[in-house]
Amino acid sequence: MANLTAEDVKAEVKAWLEENWDPERNVAEWWDILARSGYAAPTFPEECWGKGWTRDLAMAVNETLAEHGAIGPPAGLGYLLAAPTIVAHGNERQKQEDLLRILNGQDAWCQLFSEPGAGSDLASLSTRAVKDGDEWIITGQKVWTSTAQLTNLGMLLARTDPSLPKHKGITYFKFNMTQPGVEVRPLKEMTGRALFNEVFIDAARVHDDDIIGGVNNGWAAANTTLMAERAGLGTGGTGAAGNAFPGPRAGQLGDRVGDYVGKIRTGGTGGGGLFAAPRLIKLAQELGRDDDPNVRQKLAKLYTLQQLGRFSALRAKTPSQRTGAEPNIAKLMMSDLLRLQREVGNEIIGANGMIMGTEGPGSGVVQEVTLFSPGPSIYGGTDQVQRNIIGERVLGLPKEPGPAKDTPFSELLISR
Ligand SMILES: Cc1cc2nc3c(=O)[nH]c(=O)nc-3n(C[C@H](O)[C@H](O)[C@H](O)COP(=O)(O)OP(=O)(O)OC[C@H]3O[C@@H](n4cnc5c(N)ncnc54)[C@H](O)[C@@H]3O)c2cc1C
């Protein structure tokens, strides 16, 4: 293991795929085989369905899946956010059962964090969880909940003890989205779609067994989720040959897995990632815009930024080089990259940028990026909040003024 190289991993995974990849299987069967092999989440420890490998080796797994034309692990926030949170804070049952159901796509999770009065200041959340025997009764409202309409479970943050300071009385629950008392209302965005929703919760229930990380210890677990979100938004990843959406509600588990080859869900980042610069260069060539010095300059800048993002992600994997700010920086770079893609993309396609649909130049990708580009600078904590975190936690700058940290939540103005 100590000397395992990316080449070793590629050879191992290639041999395994030759035995196991079969496009005629259904999506659920393939994901179950992939999850139990350890290749769905190779960076997780072996006792958590992983291989205990570095991110470099995990990228080699993804590259091999792509080369072989096999689809990768389930898309969505269960895999991206809930899974690493369970690895870090879950109990044995959660690691054995809940985690497997994420990796093999049986469950789909959404993130029930933000509320109308608690976004950047997430610890001000006021959704209540009141103990009732070995259950908790949940009442409150969440907002901007991406994919809530497609998911059967949620990562729910709720206040379990208002007499404690605001960061301390919060608990992290696995929450059943399909029970009575949960109403999901779509919010239409300027992209024309309703990616996110409002979620109204009225006396819904959660069992003690579904607390992740302990009562009143939800802030620590929430931070793991947020760090995974920020790191996941950064550059440096490579995708498999396609993926599908998990869980019973999306209705894809019984489909032929081979039909998802070539289908990449971007999670809403509108075509970011390492393919953006090559795709825009090709578009500029097709439209004869590749000799415009402005376009060339911006494409070079986009390519350079993407490579810098990739190198930062690689550096973050070297413990001696780590500053602690890597996930925040990765997130800031993603916001910049999307804005730059928007700018150069529109410069290439010109007035065609006003036409929606997949018919025009670039098949609508530039329009898609344009309309979605404000998103990444908001979700996962806004760009301003990332800068605050870097300033305070990494550079040691003074904290923002505010009430003393040990003030009980119930005595803060926001709780009234
Ligand atoms: C596309 C998209 C998907 C999302 N998906 C989810 C999801 O699935 N689940 C979920 O829980 N949430 C989700 N969110 C919500 C997102 O996390 C919040 O929108 C975000 O945390 C900001 O909160 P807010 O909207 O309440 O803005 P506010 O916190 O009210 O901020 C408003 C403005 O004030 C600035 N600001 C606030 N505080 C400070 C400060 N201390 N210093 C400097 N500036 C400050 C902010 O940067 C921002 O510009 C999503 C958002 C988007 C855009």
Side-chain angles (χ1 to χ4, degrees):
M1 160 68 208
N3 297 323
L4 202 62
T5 66
E7 290 315 308
D8 298 332
V9 165
K10 285 188 140 191
E12 177 186 315
V13 178
K14 186 168 183 284
W16 182 84
L17 283 168
E18 273 156 17
E19 284 276 299
N20 291 284
W21 166 250
D22 175 2
E24 298 307 322
R25 290 186 203 281
N26 69 33
V27 171
E29 285 164 355
W30 164 243
W31 273 342
D32 198 55
I33 294 169
L34 187 65
R36 289 175 196 275
S37 71
Y39 297 131
T43 58
F44 290 177
E46 285 182 41
E47 63 278 14
C48 290
W49 307 101
K51 295 271 188 197
W53 288 349
T54 59
R55 216 175 144 213
D56 276 0
L57 297 182
M59 278 166 74
V61 175
N62 265 354
E63 278 164 28
T64 317
L65 287 170
E67 283 159 20
H68 200 85
I71 79 155
L77 299 183
Y79 180 81
L80 186 68
L81 307 183
T85 308
I86 291 174
V87 170
H89 302 274
N91 59 31
E92 267 321 296
R93 187 201 61 75
Q94 290 161 347
K95 287 179 185 168
Q96 286 316 304
E97 295 171 18
D98 297 346
L99 186 56
L100 178 62
R101 290 180 62 85
I102 295 173
L103 300 180
N104 70 12
Q106 286 300 307
D107 290 326
W109 293 57
C110 62
Q111 182 189 24
L112 297 161
F113 279 21
S114 305
E115 298 183 2
S120 299
D121 186 10
L122 182 59
S124 297
L125 60 90
S126 59
T127 291
R128 288 194 319 276
V130 177
K131 189 97 172 99
D132 181 36
D134 53 9
E135 289 188 329
W136 297 79
I137 301 174
I138 317 283
T139 305
Q141 188 198 336
K142 298 290 174 176
V143 71
W144 316 128
T145 317
S146 305
T147 65
Q149 68 279 48
L150 290 174
T151 54
N152 60 316
L153 294 175
M155 296 158 251
L156 172 81
L157 291 183
R159 189 158 302 281
T160 33
D161 190 346
S163 71
L164 292 174
K166 66 177 181 177
H167 293 91
K168 296 204 170 138
I170 294 172
T171 301
Y172 195 122
F173 296 95
K174 175 182 111 179
F175 182 74
N176 176 1
M177 294 290 289
T178 63
Q179 62 177 306
V182 180
E183 190 192 339
V184 175
R185 292 189 202 157
L187 290 167
K188 200 163 177 185
E189 310 149 35
M190 65 179 171
T191 57
R193 289 188 301 260
L195 170 79
F196 45 43
N197 305 269
E198 293 177 290
V199 179
F200 295 87
I201 307 173
D202 184 11
R205 288 183 172 262
V206 187
H207 197 272
D208 273 336
D209 288 350
D210 289 328
I211 290 174
I212 298 171
V215 177
N216 294 332
N217 194 33
W219 192 245
N223 269 298
T224 300
T225 306
L226 290 171
M227 280 308 201
E229 185 169 11
R230 287 159 194 166
L233 293 173
T235 50
T238 53
N243 60 19
F245 199 86
R249 283 181 147 178
Q252 300 183 353
L253 293 175
D255 293 350
R256 181 182 173 274
V257 68
D259 292 343
Y260 287 87
V261 174
K263 294 193 179 162
I264 305 282
R265 292 182 63 94
T266 60
T269 54
L274 288 172
F275 303 110
R279 193 170 43 217
L280 287 175
I281 290 169
K282 191 160 166 269
L283 185 61
Q285 284 163 344
E286 281 167 11
L287 298 178
R289 301 279 293 129
D290 55 328
D291 56 0
D292 179 311
N294 269 332
V295 170
R296 293 174 72 86
Q297 188 73 20
K298 284 183 181 150
L299 283 172
K301 192 172 167 194
L302 179 66
Y303 179 81
T304 310
L305 252 185
Q306 281 185 326
Q307 296 306 316
L308 286 175
R310 193 166 69 83
F311 291 136
S312 298
L314 287 172
R315 200 185 49 209
K317 286 169 220 145
T318 314
S320 60
Q321 302 267 318
R322 232 175 260 155
T323 62
E326 284 79 9
N328 313 91
I329 292 171
K331 212 240 128 166
L332 287 169
M333 284 194 89
M334 183 69 203
S335 306
D336 276 350
L337 275 169
L338 253 284
R339 282 190 287 260
L340 189 54
Q341 272 182 66
R342 174 186 67 194
E343 211 179 299
V344 62
N346 279 294
E347 205 152 328
I348 292 168
I349 67 171
N352 284 302
M354 290 184 283
I355 303 166
M356 286 302 289
T358 52
E359 305 289 301
S363 313
V365 171
V366 173
Q367 293 89 327
E368 179 81 27
V369 169
T370 302
L371 293 179
F372 194 75
S373 60
S377 59
I378 301 173
Y379 58 71
T382 66
D383 285 4
Q384 290 83 354
V385 166
Q386 305 310 315
R387 292 194 181 94
N388 282 354
I389 294 173
I390 295 171
E392 291 175 15
R393 294 195 206 151
V394 183
L395 302 177
L397 297 172
K399 288 204 171 297
E400 280 192 74
K405 259 201 129 175
D406 51 1
T407 312
F409 176 76
S410 52
E411 289 176 21
L412 296 173
L413 280 178
I414 45 169
S415 70
R416 311 270 156 88

